[in-house]
Amino acid sequence: MVNCIVVGCGSKSGKHQVKFGCVRKIIVNQGDEHEELKRERRGLWISAISRDDTESENILDSERVCSRHFVSGKPAAVWDKYNIDWIPNSKSWKKELQRI
């Protein structure tokens, strides 16, 4: 069973109809601009997740963010920096859980 890593979100793979994605790693050798965007985005994702143990316990390799934290249901492309779904929204899940 997969659980959403965002603090306060109770989404689980067997209980809710959601998809899960991981916090992307920083890939080098694809150009300086691309690497800079990846670094910025990863930092913002970690802030949006709102957990203190993300770096110290290296949980980002195994934990996932659910689709409820994105308006479109999935993260935007790395180059689409001004898209609302470039980083997860920690509040979007509350509306959906109230409807369930």
Side-chain angles (χ1 to χ4, degrees):
M1 179 178 298
V2 179
N3 296 323
C4 184
I5 192 174
V6 177
V7 171
C9 182
S11 293
K12 298 178 181 174
S13 59
K15 186 176 180 184
H16 301 108
Q17 296 294 326
V18 294
K19 295 180 180 181
F20 291 88
C22 61
V23 178
R24 303 285 185 215
K25 294 182 179 183
I26 299 167
I27 300 172
V28 294
N29 299 330
Q30 291 185 343
D32 292 338
E33 185 178 340
H34 189 66
E35 184 178 339
E36 188 177 317
L37 278 173
K38 289 261 187 181
R39 285 188 192 283
E40 180 182 355
R41 186 178 193 187
R42 184 175 171 86
L44 291 171
W45 273 56
I46 291 170
S47 294
I49 290 169
S50 302
R51 289 183 55 161
D52 294 332
D53 60 351
T54 53
E55 292 298 325
S56 62
E57 295 182 16
N58 205 22
I59 62 172
L60 297 178
D61 292 339
S62 60
E63 299 291 332
R64 304 288 184 250
V65 176
C66 77
S67 59
R68 290 184 172 167
H69 300 288
F70 301 97
V71 175
S72 67
K74 62 181 182 178
V78 69
W79 50 264
D80 199 2
K81 182 177 179 177
Y82 299 105
N83 187 317
I84 194 167
D85 287 333
W86 202 60
I87 59 170
N89 178 345
S90 61
K91 295 176 177 53
S92 62
W93 61 273
K94 291 180 182 178
K95 292 179 187 175
E96 278 196 40
L97 287 180
Q98 290 172 352
R99 289 187 269 174
I100 295 176

